[in-house]
Amino acid sequence: MAEKTPRFNPAHYLMGCRLDNWLRLLWENKFAIDPARLPQAALLGGMSLALSPFAVAESLLYDRKVNRVTIDKDPLYILGFWRMGTTYLQNILAHDPQFAWADPVGTASVAYSKTLHGLFTYGQARVLGSARPMDNLKYSLELPLEETFGVATLTPYSIIHMIAFPTNYRHYIPGAFIGDLSSSDRRAWEKAYLHLLKKLTWAQGGKRLMLKSPDNTAHVPQLLKLFPDARFLNIHRDPYTTILSTMHMFRKQMDFLRLSKMPPNFDQTLEDTLFSIFERMYHKLFREIPAIAPNRFYEIGYEEFVEDPIGHLRRAYDALELDGFEEALPQLQAYVDSQKSYSKNRFELDDRLKAKIEERLGFYFDHYGYARR
């Protein structure tokens, strides 16, 4: 099937990119834009340029206030690889009114989220589709976004940029493994990350942040350095489904969002890259879990969770010493009930990929007790 080549995608994650970051991304990629994607790049660059006065104004008007914000309640982080059910889990928890979260407007347009909040709210409401192209989950301005998308509009330190620039994909893998960055780059990431979280906290009245980005699973030590009392709710899923669905997701997103050319034989390269990230991410996490206080780390299996979301969340609240479950229960239950008709994607697993999953990810099968097929 021929790849779709949209001339303009108004829902591109870089539509709210700050101009300095946009220019750095272009420079890092040697301005090598696929000719077929030049209209999209021109739109993104034009938006960044047109919005730059508002970014300056927002910084002058609000940065001092944002910098004075204190995050009194350390965040609750949802951990898990892509396609492990982290979005479903986060969407349920977003209905607990005690939590703040990375809302689409405040995150994707963080550099302008105060001065142009109404404009971006109107724009995002107009361009969001009814469901995500990779999994049929509904879009909504009333549901959370991954905070890494906000960081990606401010800095190049996000693995998400490999979607826009697949030719240079290796350059963005350290965006998932923050420890790989130089000390100066780590400080720049930390500054942008804290700016985003403080701004979200300020905008939402000081509530505890509940955050989810799959790359958080790979930098727990950096998060604990920033927030020593953070809670971690880790969801795991069988590796067969996870790998198949993640490959489908990345390729689908690249079809819609890439700006550089797709390298030859990239499907195989993408497969190998995702295996390497999975292996490294979970070897790393399994080493780090013993150092986290037991009342600050809790795990849920996706397969059991979807059968009884409310029961598993009740146990998670207790284990993580989070109050407010009974008060939030009606809202949590209402959202769970609204999703009962959700239809999952189905993927075919061939013998080659099955063998590769079992060989490369055997340690993960063993850790969680997943059976080989």
Side-chain angles (χ1 to χ4, degrees):
M1 181 182 295
E3 178 192 330
K4 295 180 181 179
T5 307
R7 286 176 58 80
F8 300 106
N9 184 348
H12 199 287
Y13 78 92
L14 288 173
M15 283 296 288
C17 189
R18 203 171 59 191
L19 181 60
D20 61 327
N21 190 41
W22 171 248
L23 294 174
R24 178 164 178 179
L25 289 169
L26 290 178
W27 178 80
E28 286 180 344
N29 291 280
K30 302 178 180 178
F31 297 84
I33 303 298
D34 183 349
R37 302 302 171 105
L38 282 172
Q40 179 73 80
L43 175 63
L44 296 174
M47 282 288 293
S48 294
L49 180 61
L51 292 172
S52 58
F54 296 96
V56 173
E58 178 130 346
S59 180
L60 292 173
L61 289 170
Y62 299 111
D63 275 8
R64 185 173 296 179
K65 295 178 181 178
V66 172
N67 291 336
R68 289 201 297 263
V69 170
T70 58
I71 299 177
D72 296 321
K73 299 176 181 178
D74 285 2
L76 167 64
Y77 284 100
I78 295 171
L79 304 182
F81 203 70
W82 292 271
R83 317 303 303 130
M84 280 188 173
T86 55
T87 298
Y88 178 51
L89 175 54
Q90 186 186 34
N91 286 351
I92 299 174
L93 288 172
H95 289 79
D96 182 339
Q98 73 172 297
F99 293 126
W101 28 266
D103 65 291
V105 174
T107 304
S109 57
V110 59
Y112 331 96
S113 60
K114 294 293 289 184
T115 52
L116 296 177
H117 187 273
L119 176 63
F120 273 94
T121 300
Y122 173 79
Q124 289 195 31
R126 293 272 295 179
V127 304
L128 288 177
S130 61
R132 303 193 307 183
M134 62 280 197
D135 62 6
N136 305 316
L137 270 176
K138 288 188 176 181
Y139 278 119
S140 170
L141 294 182
E142 287 71 49
L143 290 173
L145 191 68
E146 295 172 8
E147 78 268 20
T148 194
F149 285 105
V151 175
T153 68
L154 301 175
T155 79
Y157 313 118
S158 174
I159 194 170
I160 296 302
H161 291 313
M162 71 179 280
I163 294 172
F165 301 100
T167 304
N168 199 19
Y169 73 95
R170 288 189 183 90
H171 183 74
Y172 297 109
I173 291 176
F177 298 95
I178 298 301
D180 288 356
L181 297 174
S182 68
S183 57
S184 61
D185 287 348
R186 282 198 303 274
R187 287 193 297 271
W189 170 84
E190 183 176 309
K191 180 180 178 181
Y193 190 73
L194 283 175
H195 177 77
L196 171 63
L197 266 56
K198 285 185 175 186
K199 206 165 188 179
L200 291 171
T201 300
W202 178 45
Q204 299 182 54
K207 293 180 180 181
R208 184 192 300 276
L209 289 167
M210 181 270 301
L211 301 168
K212 183 273 292 187
S213 289
D215 48 314
N216 286 337
T217 311
H219 49 254
V220 168
Q222 286 76 26
L223 299 177
L224 283 172
K225 176 188 171 187
L226 298 175
F227 304 109
D229 196 38
R231 271 90 160 166
F232 298 97
L233 181 52
N234 182 43
I235 187 166
H236 56 86
R237 190 177 190 179
D238 90 84
Y240 300 112
T241 304
T242 299
I243 289 293
L244 282 166
S245 188
T246 303
M247 290 193 301
H248 170 78
M249 179 201 75
F250 269 92
R251 185 55 200 253
K252 192 99 174 179
Q253 288 186 334
M254 286 173 176
D255 287 347
F256 281 94
L257 301 175
R258 69 174 180 84
L259 300 174
S260 69
K261 287 188 175 182
M262 191 70 76
N265 303 314
F266 192 71
D267 284 347
Q268 186 60 53
T269 300
L270 178 62
E271 177 185 309
D272 292 339
T273 299
L274 292 175
F275 268 92
S276 295
I277 293 172
F278 192 114
E279 284 180 293
R280 185 178 175 195
M281 183 178 285
Y282 281 94
H283 278 305
K284 186 174 183 295
L285 180 65
F286 293 163
R287 292 194 302 268
E288 293 161 353
I289 289 173
I292 306 173
N295 61 346
R296 294 296 180 264
F297 185 87
Y298 187 76
E299 295 189 294
I300 293 175
Y302 172 83
E303 295 79 7
E304 296 78 25
F305 178 68
V306 294
E307 296 299 322
D308 181 18
I310 298 301
H312 283 282
L313 282 179
R314 186 188 300 275
R315 291 188 284 276
Y317 274 63
D318 288 343
L320 295 173
E321 299 178 351
L322 292 168
D323 298 325
F325 180 81
E326 295 301 331
E327 292 81 358
L329 181 56
Q331 296 97 310
L332 302 178
Q333 185 67 65
Y335 180 75
V336 169
D337 291 344
S338 75
Q339 299 301 299
K340 287 183 177 178
S341 62
Y342 170 68
S343 177
K344 303 175 189 175
N345 286 331
R346 303 291 179 185
F347 303 100
E348 294 295 326
L349 179 66
D350 60 44
D351 290 341
R352 179 198 64 83
L353 189 56
K354 175 179 178 293
K356 185 174 181 177
I357 291 171
E358 293 173 356
E359 177 184 359
R360 296 278 296 271
L361 308 182
F363 73 99
Y364 184 92
F365 281 89
D366 296 339
H367 184 91
Y368 287 117
Y370 285 108
R372 277 74 164 174
R373 292 182 183 174

